[in-house]
Amino acid sequence: MPDVITVRVQTDSDLFQDVVVKIERPTYQKPFLGGFKNRITGVEFHNAGSQTIPKKRPNKGIQTVFEKNKPQQTRNTTSTQMTKIGLYVSNVTDKLITPGKYLTAEEYHKRRLEAVIVLQKYFRRWHAINVVQNLREEKRLRLAWEAQEELRRKKEKEERLRREHEQRLNPKTKQDFELLFHALELWRQEETEQINRTLTGVERKAAFCGLLEQEAQLIASIGRRKLNADEENHQKAILRFLDKCAQPKKWKAFDGKITEVDTQYTLRARELFEVYRSVSMTDIPKDERTDVLLTLRRTVKEHECKLTLEIVELIDREVDLMSREVKECNLEGLRKRICTLFLQYVKTPKFNPEVARILKVPPDPLQLYKNVNFCHSCENYLPSTEFPVPANSRTIGRCHLCYKLDNEARRRETILKYKLILENLRKSEVDYQDDAKIVFLVQ
């Protein structure tokens, strides 16, 4: 029913009047004050009092309550039988009550106050004992936690120093070589200060020449180590790249469980990954190497092109040379060529469709024009991800590689300690559980 209805009322024999009626919908249950029911239609009609809002009692602002005490005597009368002549009442069950010391109201309240004070003293003593015990337990836990934290920090520091020493002896990552160049710069500064402090004239110039030769030798040694590390890291990066292509599709369901699904493209990528890992293995028997090469030949023969024909030709050449008992050392170059060409085959989206979503260089050349910037230092066009963009910069400067080369050649600074500080700060912020996000935006 709408909130407003129009009712036609007959005011006379020939006159009708339309009356607008607003329907109010109270939130309370209307009381039933009587009515009647139509037996034919079954419609119930309530009295007029049920259809109207009850009147509110007027608030006169008077909230005074008058109280009075009125004693009342009970009307139930009783009597007590007493001993008299001719009547004996037994007094065996009677009790003899003697009046004691009269206790006034002041004495009664005083005694209750003293009892309350005694109870409060014992309660406060019990509460103080509990507080002291809790404080003692908290102190013990705090001291144990501090000792554990101190031991943990000491172990972390020893582990960090050991790791830094290992990184300087066997550098593998960019941070390791940053530490080496930083240590080289510190050593050069110390030697320079010592030469300036102890020598003068020709001896000073000769010492600087010797220092320059030693620095050049150390830089060459670091460069050789860097080449070896780059070769190892390159092979690991290839395996990580192929493993990422072979991973199944994953998503989290509403109940928190991880669902994994393999598609035809991921199965194809996994097959190629297994073949590449088998081909790149060294120090395996000749019969196993022959089986691997035959598997590789069947895999690439599925597509006919110049690349696959070249791979098949190299496979036939290696099989022929192994049948002629050629030494393993003479086959290293041929095997590297096979691995390189097969990697090129795997990275082709036509042969491995799953690799298209991971390649840095998109298959469509038109996409290269998006997010590409020019480095004024190395004069190369690189994607925007290769440039450091601080929060307050307005122009694109040098790329990451140019900054790295400039740091190795001049300043030779390392930001490893700042990275550790930032990591520790983020860990401590996560422990607070206050949803702080600014620390994760700091670079």
Side-chain angles (χ1 to χ4, degrees):
M1 180 180 291
D3 295 336
V4 179
I5 62 175
T6 303
V7 180
R8 174 163 292 184
V9 181
Q10 185 176 3
T11 58
D12 202 352
S13 60
D14 296 332
L15 295 178
F16 294 90
Q17 184 181 358
D18 293 336
V19 180
V20 177
V21 180
K22 295 183 179 179
I23 298 177
E24 296 183 358
R25 308 179 189 275
T27 58
Y28 61 92
Q29 183 70 25
K30 285 185 178 182
F32 179 72
L33 301 179
F36 62 94
K37 179 178 180 182
N38 193 334
R39 296 181 178 179
I40 300 175
T41 61
V43 179
E44 293 183 356
F45 297 91
H46 294 176
N47 290 341
S50 300
Q51 306 297 333
T52 58
I53 300 177
K55 293 183 179 181
K56 294 183 180 179
R57 180 177 298 178
N59 186 9
K60 298 180 180 180
I62 300 175
Q63 298 180 356
T64 305
V65 178
F66 296 96
E67 297 181 355
K68 61 174 66 176
N69 296 327
K70 182 179 179 181
Q72 187 174 2
Q73 181 65 30
T74 178
R75 295 181 179 180
N76 187 12
T77 58
T78 60
S79 61
T80 304
Q81 180 66 53
M82 303 297 294
T83 303
K84 65 178 184 176
I85 299 174
L87 177 63
Y88 172 75
V89 179
S90 176
N91 58 357
V92 176
T93 60
D94 292 350
K95 295 180 180 179
L96 182 61
I97 299 176
T98 58
K101 184 180 179 182
Y102 180 73
L103 185 65
T104 62
E106 294 180 357
E107 293 175 351
Y108 172 75
H109 290 297
K110 181 179 178 182
R111 188 171 67 180
R112 287 179 63 86
L113 179 60
E114 292 176 354
V116 168
I117 291 174
V118 172
L119 290 176
Q120 287 182 348
K121 287 194 299 184
Y122 280 98
F123 173 77
R124 290 173 181 172
R125 179 176 178 271
W126 171 80
H127 183 66
I129 290 175
N130 289 339
V131 170
V132 171
Q133 288 180 353
N134 292 335
L135 291 176
R136 188 181 292 114
E137 183 66 18
E138 291 179 1
K139 180 182 178 182
R140 185 188 66 81
L141 295 176
R142 177 70 183 185
L143 293 177
W145 178 80
E146 289 180 355
Q148 186 177 2
E149 285 294 311
E150 186 67 24
L151 183 62
R152 184 183 63 81
R153 292 196 200 97
K154 186 177 180 180
K155 288 183 178 180
E156 285 184 356
K157 185 176 180 180
E158 293 177 355
E159 180 66 21
R160 187 173 66 253
L161 293 177
R162 185 193 63 78
R163 190 166 57 249
E164 289 181 1
H165 182 68
E166 182 67 22
Q167 288 173 351
R168 293 180 181 180
L169 290 179
N170 300 314
K172 294 181 180 180
T173 62
K174 296 180 181 179
Q175 289 80 7
D176 299 346
F177 288 102
E178 283 183 3
L179 287 175
L180 280 180
F181 279 106
H182 182 64
L184 176 63
E185 181 63 19
L186 294 179
W187 171 80
R188 188 189 67 81
Q189 291 177 2
E190 291 178 0
E191 293 295 327
T192 302
E193 291 178 1
Q194 184 177 3
I195 291 172
N196 289 330
R197 187 172 60 252
T198 56
L199 300 178
T200 57
V202 180
E203 295 179 352
R204 177 172 174 272
K205 293 183 178 180
F208 275 129
C209 291
L211 177 63
L212 182 62
E213 291 180 359
Q214 292 181 10
E215 184 180 3
Q217 292 177 1
L218 292 175
I219 291 175
S221 175
I222 294 175
R224 288 191 295 270
R225 287 175 174 267
K226 195 172 184 180
L227 291 176
N228 296 332
D230 288 342
E231 186 176 354
E232 284 186 27
N233 294 335
H234 178 66
Q235 187 65 23
K236 292 180 180 178
I238 291 174
L239 294 177
R240 283 197 303 269
F241 174 80
L242 297 179
D243 183 63
K244 189 176 180 180
C245 294
Q247 291 297 322
K249 307 292 183 180
K250 298 180 181 179
W251 66 84
K252 184 180 290 186
F254 67 94
D255 55 354
K257 295 182 179 179
I258 303 297
T259 304
E260 298 182 359
V261 174
D262 277 319
T263 63
Q264 56 180 350
Y265 298 146
T266 57
L267 294 175
R268 172 68 175 175
R270 192 174 306 160
E271 179 186 357
L272 295 177
F273 173 50
E274 295 295 335
V275 173
Y276 178 82
R277 189 162 54 182
S278 301
V279 171
S280 59
M281 290 176 61
T282 57
D283 300 332
I284 59 176
K286 290 185 178 180
D287 53 349
E288 294 184 8
R289 179 68 183 180
T290 304
D291 295 339
V292 169
L293 292 176
L294 294 178
T295 304
L296 176 60
R297 183 190 177 106
R298 287 194 301 270
T299 302
V300 299
K301 284 289 285 184
E302 297 176 1
H303 303 86
E304 291 290 340
C305 64
K306 183 178 179 181
L307 178 61
T308 57
L309 292 177
E310 188 175 357
I311 294 174
V312 170
E313 182 182 354
L314 294 177
I315 291 173
D316 294 339
R317 187 182 305 175
E318 182 179 355
V319 172
D320 182 50
L321 291 176
M322 283 193 300
S323 63
R324 296 171 183 267
E325 300 295 334
V326 178
K327 295 182 179 180
E328 297 286 335
C329 59
N330 296 330
L331 297 176
E332 290 183 359
L334 181 59
R335 291 175 176 176
K336 286 184 178 180
R337 286 184 63 191
I338 294 175
C339 286
T340 303
L341 293 178
F342 183 63
L343 180 62
Q344 184 179 353
Y345 174 86
V346 173
K347 286 186 176 181
T348 305
K350 181 180 178 182
F351 309 135
N352 186 11
E354 189 66 21
V355 82
R357 64 181 182 87
I358 303 178
L359 286 176
K360 290 185 178 180
V361 180
D364 187 6
L366 296 178
Q367 295 183 4
L368 291 173
Y369 294 98
K370 300 178 182 179
N371 298 326
V372 174
N373 298 286
F374 179 72
C375 179
H376 295 279
S377 179
C378 60
E379 297 183 352
N380 290 327
Y381 287 95
L382 300 171
S384 58
T385 55
E386 298 295 330
F387 292 86
V389 183
N392 58 351
S393 66
R394 297 186 178 181
T395 59
I396 298 296
R398 294 177 295 178
C399 61
H400 286 292
L401 182 59
C402 294
Y403 273 111
K404 178 171 167 294
L405 291 176
D406 181 70
N407 183 39
E408 292 178 357
R410 299 180 182 179
R411 295 176 288 119
R412 294 171 182 171
E413 295 178 353
T414 178
I415 60 173
L416 182 60
K417 54 184 179 181
Y418 303 109
K419 285 185 177 181
L420 292 176
I421 292 174
L422 185 58
E423 289 177 0
N424 294 332
L425 178 61
R426 288 176 176 173
K427 289 180 181 178
S428 61
E429 285 292 332
V430 169
D431 293 337
Y432 286 127
Q433 296 181 356
D434 55 355
D435 295 335
K437 299 178 181 178
I438 184 64
V439 70
F440 298 99
L441 301 177
V442 177
Q443 299 181 359

